[in-house]
Amino acid sequence: MLHVTFFIYSADIPSFDAFRRGHRIVSKFFFQIQCLDVFRYIMDSSLRSVAEQLLKDLQRTYSETNQIPDDLLIALRFVFGPCALQALDLVDQRSVTCVSSPSSRKAFQVLGGSGHMYTCFTSCHYCPCPAFSFSVLRRNESLTCKHLLAACLSQAMGLCQQEQVSDQQMTHILSGQTEAST
C-alpha cells in the first residue's frame, strides 16, 4: 500500500516542470509534494528504527542460541536488501576488526571482498567505500553498505576481532593514513 501511494505521488512530479516554467500549479500539487516529503522522512526514520530493533533482536537471539533463526535472516534481507548476505559472509570470514585506543576511540576495519580495508564508523554511520557513497549517500537506495552492516552484525553477534592501538596509531587510522596491524 505504501509503494502504491508513493507511485501515485511520483506520477505528479512532471507537473513540477510546468511550475518551473512559470505555469500556475494548483495548491493540491504543493500539498502532495509536502506529503511526499513527510512520507519519505517518516519512512526513512521508521526503517532506521526497524533496522535498529532488528539488530537488537539479533544480538539477543544470537547470545542465547549462537545462531540466527530463519525469521531474522529473512528480516535482515528484507530491511537491508542484497548487502545483508554479503555482510554475513564478511562476518563468517572474520573480516571485521574493532580497533580501539586508550582514549576510548573506536573504529571498525572491514576487509572487503576485493582485499581493500575499509575503516567504518558505526557511531556516525559512515563507510568510505564506493557503494556507501553511491547507494546510501547519493541515491538513498540503501540504508547501509555491506562493510558497515558487517561491522554492526559482528558487534551484535560478538564475533568481532579486537585490537588495541595507541592513540597516535588511532589518529593515523582515523585520518586514513594507515591501517591497524592485523
Side-chain angles (χ1 to χ4, degrees):
M1 184 67 160
L2 295 175
H3 294 286
V4 172
T5 304
F6 178 76
F7 181 74
I8 290 169
Y9 286 151
S10 30
D12 290 332
I13 296 299
S15 303
F16 191 70
D17 289 335
F19 173 74
R20 283 198 287 185
R21 289 192 307 266
H23 295 142
R24 190 163 186 238
I25 304 297
V26 292
S27 61
K28 180 181 174 188
F29 173 73
F30 292 114
F31 176 73
Q32 288 177 338
I33 292 296
Q34 290 172 348
C35 287
L36 180 58
D37 289 342
V38 169
F39 172 75
R40 285 182 181 157
Y41 174 77
I42 290 170
M43 285 304 295
D44 284 348
S45 61
S46 296
L47 192 54
R48 290 190 195 286
S49 297
V50 167
E52 288 172 10
Q53 186 60 48
L54 179 59
L55 289 172
K56 288 177 186 173
D57 291 346
L58 181 123
Q59 181 178 17
R60 181 181 40 78
T61 304
Y62 193 84
S63 69
E64 294 169 358
T65 65
N66 259 7
Q67 60 184 10
I68 304 172
D70 289 345
D71 61 332
L72 281 179
L73 288 172
I74 292 168
L76 279 171
R77 173 68 166 92
F78 181 78
V79 171
F80 294 106
C83 79
L85 182 58
Q86 298 166 338
L88 286 167
D89 282 341
L90 291 173
V91 173
D92 283 343
Q93 296 167 11
R94 302 294 193 262
S95 298
V96 181
T97 302
C98 178
V99 183
S100 55
S101 68
S103 61
S104 300
R105 292 184 289 176
K106 181 167 67 169
F108 292 87
Q109 291 192 321
V110 181
L111 182 61
S114 66
H116 191 275
M117 184 72 73
Y118 296 99
T119 302
C120 301
F121 306 97
T122 58
S123 60
C124 64
H125 191 78
Y126 178 75
C127 177
C129 77
F132 188 86
S133 296
F134 186 74
S135 296
V136 178
L137 298 178
R138 180 177 282 168
R139 307 232 21 224
N140 200 24
E141 293 176 341
S142 208
L143 283 178
T144 191
C145 67
K146 66 182 179 181
H147 310 107
L148 195 52
L149 182 56
C152 292
L153 289 171
S154 66
Q155 188 176 23
M157 297 165 68
L159 298 175
C160 201
Q161 298 179 55
Q162 302 291 324
E163 183 172 351
Q164 291 286 328
V165 296
S166 70
D167 284 329
Q168 185 177 13
Q169 287 173 306
M170 180 60 87
T171 300
H172 290 295
I173 291 168
L174 296 177
S175 67
Q177 294 175 4
T178 186
E179 300 171 359
S181 58
T182 52

